[in-house]
Amino acid sequence: MSKIELIITNNYEEMSQKTADIFIDLLKKKPNSILGLATGSTPIGLYKILIEKNKSKIISFKDVITYNLDEYCDIPKSHEQSYFTFMNQNLFDHIDINKDNTHLPQGEGDSKINSENYDKELNKVKIDIQLLGIGSNGHIGFNEPGTDFDLGVHEVLLTENTIKDNARFFENDINKVPKKAITMGIKNILSAETIILIANGKNKANAIKNIMKGVADKNVPASALNLHKGKVYVIVDKDAASLL
Ligand code: PGA
């Protein structure tokens, strides 16, 4: 069983800064790191700090390789809400990374083949740090409650809960939210050297409480972090820690 290191911060800015410090430290020591990245509102503050540190030449992404957790199916890469667009707009366009070294699952086309291909790519590498956000229902990536922990990259049907949570990015219209996605499985996530899960806000408090019970429960996908053999950080603000 892994012992999760829980870091409770005062606010979103401090949560982002503490997380950035761990990434900066790694990039200074290992400029050719392999990073597992995440989308969503939670990592935006972290990405802003990393961009700043890159612009001031404290860190470089020239030799960094990245793999993202997930991507929506059935919307083109160029869609303004695709995770491909998100990563370019919120990080890759602003740093000195070689875009050939950035990887996301392919959302368009045959999901089975796309999943197999991404899984094969991931199996060839060892991610140094995997960053995770968490859904209010405890999902990580798009691994929704009930997902088998042994699955590799796979296609998922989004739950109603996640569709509702994400409607804010699609003009608050649940009908506009894609219903399917491709995601790294829990197995892929657990093969990273270090995992950092970040969360802020009261709507994440219950999910954080469920991770910190210390038991891996299929109904709370993020609780699988308790099975990780390497280092795990859970970095949260006060609100997300309010039920601990
Ligand atoms: P959020 O999403 O960062 O936008 O809250 C996190 C997630 O659903 O994994």
Side-chain angles (χ1 to χ4, degrees), residues 40-43 133-135 139 168 204:
S41 0
T42 318
I134 183 169
H139 76 204
R168 66 191 195 279
K204 304 290 173 72

Side-chain angles (χ1 to χ4, degrees), residues 153-196:
V153 178
H154 61 285
E155 183 194 66
V156 285
L157 285 177
L158 273 50
T159 59
E160 238 180 88
N161 183 87
T162 299
I163 291 173
K164 267 191 221 147
D165 277 356
N166 289 5
R168 66 191 195 279
F169 301 114
F170 293 87
E171 299 160 47
N172 281 316
D173 181 351
I174 55 168
N175 296 314
K176 293 202 168 124
V177 184
K179 305 291 176 283
K180 288 191 293 184
I182 289 186
T183 185
M184 279 191 202
I186 305 278
K187 187 170 135 196
N188 307 107
I189 293 170
L190 292 184
S191 65
E193 186 74 33
T194 295
I195 300 174
I196 307 180

Side-chain angles (χ1 to χ4, degrees), residues 6 23 43 72 74 83 90 96 113 156 160 180 184 199 231:
L6 172 71
F23 275 93
Y72 287 120
D74 302 333
Y83 289 166
N90 288 289
D96 61 351
I113 294 173
V156 285
E160 238 180 88
K180 288 191 293 184
M184 279 191 202
K231 181 89 193 158

Side-chain angles (χ1 to χ4, degrees), residues 74-218:
D74 302 333
I75 55 172
K77 252 169 132 172
S78 58
H79 190 285
E80 58 175 1
Q81 293 301 338
S82 76
Y83 289 166
F84 173 82
T85 302
F86 177 99
M87 288 311 299
N88 283 321
Q89 286 180 347
N90 288 289
L91 187 63
F92 301 149
D93 284 347
H94 312 287
I95 57 175
D96 61 351
I97 199 159
N98 174 354
K99 289 229 185 140
D100 292 342
N101 289 341
T102 66
H103 307 85
L104 285 97
Q106 185 70 251
E108 293 168 277
D110 185 324
S111 302
K112 199 164 177 293
I113 294 173
N114 291 339
S115 300
E116 279 171 15
N117 287 343
Y118 201 55
D119 200 61
K120 270 188 211 147
E121 274 189 69
L122 288 171
N123 286 336
K124 285 188 213 144
V125 297
K126 176 88 178 163
I127 289 178
D128 290 290
I129 296 184
Q130 176 65 56
L131 177 70
L132 301 172
I134 183 169
S136 59
N137 63 359
H139 76 204
I140 45 177
F142 274 121
N143 293 281
E144 301 283 13
T147 306
D148 191 336
F149 289 172
D150 289 333
L151 283 178
V153 178
H154 61 285
E155 183 194 66
V156 285
L157 285 177
L158 273 50
T159 59
E160 238 180 88
N161 183 87
T162 299
I163 291 173
K164 267 191 221 147
D165 277 356
N166 289 5
R168 66 191 195 279
F169 301 114
F170 293 87
E171 299 160 47
N172 281 316
D173 181 351
I174 55 168
N175 296 314
K176 293 202 168 124
V177 184
K179 305 291 176 283
K180 288 191 293 184
I182 289 186
T183 185
M184 279 191 202
I186 305 278
K187 187 170 135 196
N188 307 107
I189 293 170
L190 292 184
S191 65
E193 186 74 33
T194 295
I195 300 174
I196 307 180
L197 183 142
I198 55 176
N200 68 294
K202 281 219 152 62
N203 65 327
K204 304 290 173 72
N206 196 45
I208 295 299
K209 182 180 97 180
N210 283 330
I211 301 178
M212 297 313 296
K213 283 179 185 162
V215 181
D217 171 359
K218 254 171 93 167

